[in-house]
Amino acid sequence: MSRIAICLLIFCISLTGCTSTQSSSSNAEIKVDANQALDAFLESDWSRIMQQFPEYASYLGVADDQQNSSWTDNSLQAYEERHLADKAALTKLLEIDRSQLSEQQKTNYDLYQWQLEMEIKSYAFKTFLMPVSQRDGIQTLNNFINYAPLNTLKDYQNWLARLDALPQLIDQTRQLMEVGIKENIVPPIKTLSRVTGQFERHLVDDPKDSLFYVPFETLPDTFTDEQKAQLQSRASFIIKEKLLPKYQDFNAFLINQYLPACRQDDGVWALANGKAYYEYLVDYFTTTDMTPDEIHQLGLQEVARNRAEMDKVIEEVGFEGSFEEFLHFLRTDPQFYYETPEALYEGYLAVSKRLDPELTKLFGKLPRMPYGVKAIPDNVAPQTTTAYYSPPSADGMRPGYYYVNLYQPESRPKYEMEVLSVHEAVPGHHLQIALQSELGELPPFRRFLGFTVFIEGWGLYSERLGYDMGLYQDPYSRFGQLTYDMWRSVRLVVDTGIHYMGWTRQQAIDYFKANAAKTEQDIINEIDRYITNPGQALAYKIGQLKMLELREKAKQALGDKFDIRAFHDAMLGSGSVPLNVLEETINQWIADNK
């Protein structure tokens, strides 16, 4: 090669090198800009959500006085404005060049895009025209005091301001329902008729008997007598002069106009575009491409598998009789039930205390935030489920709470208490959700929002972990664990049956009773819950099965290198995510550890 050729080659390499360096620097700047743009967008849109939904800001513990003293605007105009704001937010998000984002930011981008798109799609179905159910609505707002701050004099004044603004929210709720009647978007009569007793509880003669007066019965000792008197006087006035007349008028509207207009059919298939709406809900709650028919068949398979395991336990305890007779025995024999709500509550406390010391066997990282056990409020307990979990606040001022139903202790079997507690408390909802809220490197929407299929899938997956924690030693407790797994398997069948295949409420109740040992009171409440919240019940089993599949895949791939503590830390380390993202995370974890 001639000297000239060598020089040209060196020159070309130098130019290429310079160009490459400049391009790399330019790309880095673009990536920084794109990442910063996404951070700014997510921060701005999170602020929008907090302003639009002040109760949620109070719930998280990040609200200012304005938010702590107001309710979400539920007028028709506000729903339309929020819909338009969602569409504008999506447009703004799509302006950010995803290809220039870091891998972590690409995940943030994809998850937020998915949530915005699903929210935008939901608007077309107008289910906000059904704002009252046996589980939620303006008749349950007195319970919000469990989440609103109530420590200082200003906190109490903010709560009074909220009560003062409640009549407007009641009016907005009625207006939505009136439009719902006109557009034939109304709930089933069989479930909505259960709310009448909840409203009647608000119709008192003495304002001091009102559920809204409860926070003012005992005020902090740091308040002066004059301050206490002023707060109590103001509360009595608002309840008597503003809330009672509104609840009386609304109750008359409910009984005389709304209930007669409610539909006779139980499933959402009976609504206009009802099947399309249910298909949307299946996508939303499972984050998969499974069809309702596929989910129904999966449910039938899981019911059969659980039934075979249950038969083994029945044989073990030496029961002589049919499966139905064994279920009747479990539902009626006094040995399986506490006699009083107080004894039942103490039983839940005892189970919870046994769980915490076992967690280090299964997890390398545990949440800092504790949890407590509380009774579900009496005014909603007859219409709600066995238990539920309430997450801690973002400001650390409120711990997580495991709420247990003490209504009719004769319908709350002892053999379900262990499996229920691991689902709702630890290592189920509290451990997962509290850990997620402590992932400070993630944007707020990933720390405090989530995907039902992951959250409830983890709760159901955790029930199996009870064996690793030394639970279910008694064969009846093992049957309880199987009952809970069967319960979630039944859900796949009855939820799709009711909302997609035209099953009646009674058909669903009968199928549930024939396959699970839960008491009739629980079964009726559960079926009514599925009717009111279509699709949500599918998330549990779909999520659990994927998590069990990934655990088995990791064990097979890693063999002796498999560490259950590290596996669980990897599962929970990114917070609540769709199942495809979870699978990518675990596949990468397997590759890194192989």
Side-chain angles (χ1 to χ4, degrees):
M1 183 179 290
S2 70
R3 186 179 182 89
I4 294 174
I6 293 174
C7 288
L8 287 173
L9 178 61
I10 293 173
F11 180 67
C12 288
I13 292 172
S14 297
L15 281 180
T16 304
C18 291
T19 303
S20 176
T21 301
Q22 290 172 351
S23 176
S24 174
S25 173
S26 176
N27 285 341
E29 290 175 5
I30 291 173
K31 283 189 176 182
V32 168
D33 290 344
N35 288 323
Q36 289 177 345
L38 181 60
D39 285 338
F41 166 79
L42 292 175
E43 181 179 356
S44 173
D45 213 51
W46 181 255
S47 178
R48 169 179 76 93
I49 292 170
M50 291 299 98
Q51 292 300 320
Q52 287 179 344
F53 302 100
E55 299 98 318
Y56 190 55
S58 296
Y59 180 79
L60 290 178
V62 298
D64 56 25
D65 286 336
Q66 174 62 34
Q67 291 162 310
N68 276 329
S69 58
S70 58
W71 304 102
T72 297
D73 185 349
N74 279 341
S75 64
L76 278 170
Q77 180 181 348
Y79 273 102
E80 182 178 0
E81 289 173 352
R82 287 194 288 267
H83 175 61
L84 294 174
D86 286 337
K87 293 174 74 172
L90 180 61
T91 299
K92 190 170 183 179
L93 175 65
L94 295 176
E95 290 172 354
I96 299 171
D97 187 351
R98 183 186 180 280
S99 68
Q100 299 301 319
L101 296 171
S102 67
E103 290 305 311
Q104 177 70 275
Q105 287 284 62
K106 284 178 181 176
T107 301
N108 293 335
Y109 182 103
D110 293 344
L111 297 186
Y112 208 77
Q113 179 181 348
W114 187 90
Q115 290 181 343
L116 280 172
E117 287 175 344
M118 295 303 279
E119 190 67 28
I120 290 167
K121 287 179 184 177
S122 72
Y123 182 78
F125 300 109
K126 295 186 178 181
T127 53
F128 52 82
L129 297 178
M130 299 182 288
V132 172
S133 75
Q134 79 277 14
R135 292 171 55 83
D136 194 24
I138 54 172
Q139 78 280 14
T140 65
L141 289 179
N142 56 287
N143 295 327
F144 191 72
I145 202 61
N146 292 313
Y147 312 113
L150 212 60
N151 302 302
T152 67
L153 181 63
K154 184 61 177 174
D155 289 339
Y156 278 87
Q157 291 169 342
N158 287 339
W159 181 244
L160 283 172
R162 255 193 177 133
L163 296 187
D164 201 28
L166 184 51
Q168 181 181 14
L169 183 61
I170 296 173
D171 286 341
Q172 290 175 343
T173 300
R174 177 169 175 168
Q175 289 161 7
L176 292 175
M177 295 163 78
E178 288 172 340
V179 175
I181 293 174
K182 293 176 183 177
E183 299 193 15
N184 200 28
I185 302 177
V186 290
I189 183 67
K190 293 168 190 169
T191 53
L192 199 78
S193 60
R194 301 187 65 174
V195 307
T196 54
Q198 296 174 354
F199 277 99
E200 287 169 2
R201 182 62 184 84
H202 289 290
L203 309 182
V204 296
D205 295 324
D206 187 342
K208 292 184 178 180
D209 292 331
S210 169
L211 295 171
F212 286 106
Y213 191 81
V214 171
F216 300 94
E217 290 175 348
T218 304
L219 296 169
D221 293 336
T222 53
F223 294 0
T224 67
D225 289 342
E226 182 180 1
Q227 289 170 334
K228 292 178 182 178
Q230 289 176 343
L231 291 173
Q232 290 171 336
S233 175
R234 180 64 178 161
S236 295
F237 175 81
I238 293 173
I239 293 168
K240 181 179 180 180
E241 301 299 328
K242 297 188 175 185
L243 297 189
L244 285 178
K246 281 295 178 183
Y247 274 107
Q248 287 167 348
D249 288 347
F250 189 93
N251 190 56
F253 159 74
L254 179 73
I255 293 171
N256 299 323
Q257 297 180 53
Y258 196 68
L259 282 172
C262 288
R263 55 189 162 94
Q264 298 298 316
D265 296 307
D266 302 312
V268 294
W269 61 266
L271 298 173
N273 299 318
K275 282 206 168 185
Y277 177 53
Y278 189 68
E279 289 165 354
Y280 159 83
L281 292 173
V282 169
D283 292 345
Y284 179 80
F285 283 116
T286 72
T287 69
T288 71
D289 57 2
M290 294 183 73
T291 67
D293 289 322
E294 289 171 337
I295 291 174
H296 190 83
Q297 289 303 313
L298 176 63
L300 294 174
Q301 294 168 18
E302 283 293 294
V303 166
R305 183 189 61 79
N306 271 298
R307 174 62 182 274
E309 294 296 318
M310 288 176 153
D311 286 340
K312 293 177 184 178
V313 178
I314 295 172
E315 183 179 352
E316 179 185 343
V317 300
F319 182 83
E320 296 182 0
S322 67
F323 184 74
E324 291 74 19
E325 288 169 335
F326 185 70
L327 297 189
H328 179 74
F329 163 64
L330 292 180
R331 289 171 182 147
T332 58
D333 196 301
Q335 68 171 305
F336 298 120
Y337 300 90
Y338 287 101
E339 294 183 357
T340 66
E342 294 76 18
L344 177 59
Y345 179 72
E346 290 299 320
Y348 278 118
L349 287 178
V351 171
S352 297
K353 288 177 182 177
R354 288 164 43 208
L355 302 180
D356 295 348
E358 304 297 324
L359 296 176
T360 54
K361 298 176 182 177
L362 298 169
F363 301 90
K365 185 176 182 180
L366 298 174
R368 296 186 299 271
M369 186 63 70
Y371 74 94
V373 182
K374 277 189 175 183
I376 292 175
D378 292 341
N379 64 310
V380 294
Q383 281 78 41
T384 198
T385 50
T386 311
Y388 55 79
Y389 171 71
S390 172
S393 61
D395 61 0
M397 296 298 290
R398 185 186 71 247
Y401 280 108
Y402 166 29
Y403 281 87
V404 295
N405 200 328
L406 305 182
Y407 175 73
Q408 289 187 349
E410 67 275 12
S411 69
R412 317 288 172 190
K414 296 177 183 177
Y415 55 79
E416 292 183 359
M417 294 173 71
E418 287 183 337
V419 65
L420 178 62
S421 298
V422 296
H423 182 107
E424 299 293 347
V426 292
H429 286 331
H430 176 70
L431 187 144
Q432 183 263 310
I433 293 174
L435 274 177
Q436 177 177 313
S437 71
E438 294 170 10
L439 296 173
E441 72 279 7
L442 295 181
F445 87 94
R446 288 191 60 187
R447 292 171 59 203
F448 303 116
L449 300 180
F451 295 82
T452 307
V453 72
F454 185 97
I455 295 170
E456 296 299 353
W458 175 262
L460 186 52
Y461 170 86
S462 295
E463 294 178 13
R464 297 276 188 96
L465 297 180
Y467 291 102
D468 300 291
M469 299 169 69
L471 303 178
Y472 316 140
Q473 295 297 312
D474 179 271
Y476 292 107
S477 287
R478 270 190 283 124
F479 196 88
Q481 183 271 316
L482 290 170
T483 293
Y484 268 49
D485 205 78
M486 175 68 91
W487 169 21
R488 280 38 170 265
S489 304
V490 165
R491 283 177 170 178
L492 301 184
V493 179
V494 298
D495 198 275
T496 51
I498 293 167
H499 295 296
Y500 205 70
M501 300 171 181
W503 283 26
T504 66
R505 177 176 180 263
Q506 192 58 51
Q507 275 181 280
I509 291 171
D510 291 343
Y511 183 85
F512 203 144
K513 286 176 66 176
N515 287 286
K518 293 188 73 63
T519 59
E520 186 164 359
Q521 173 74 28
D522 266 357
I523 288 172
I524 291 171
N525 283 347
E526 281 295 317
I527 294 299
D528 284 351
R529 168 190 168 184
Y530 310 152
I531 291 172
T532 300
N533 300 313
Q536 191 268 354
L538 306 177
Y540 299 65
K541 199 66 179 157
I542 302 296
Q544 178 221 32
L545 290 175
K546 174 57 70 174
M547 291 174 182
L548 290 171
E549 173 195 318
L550 293 174
R551 176 173 167 172
E552 186 59 28
K553 180 180 181 180
K555 289 175 70 175
Q556 293 295 325
L558 298 178
D560 293 341
K561 291 183 179 180
F562 179 76
D563 180 346
I564 188 65
R565 297 166 81 244
F567 173 76
H568 286 151
D569 290 349
M571 288 264 284
L572 301 178
S574 297
S576 170
V577 293
L579 295 185
N580 66 311
V581 176
L582 174 64
E583 187 160 15
E584 291 170 6
T585 299
I586 296 304
N587 286 341
Q588 185 61 52
W589 180 81
I590 292 172
D592 292 342
N593 285 275
K594 211 168 185 180

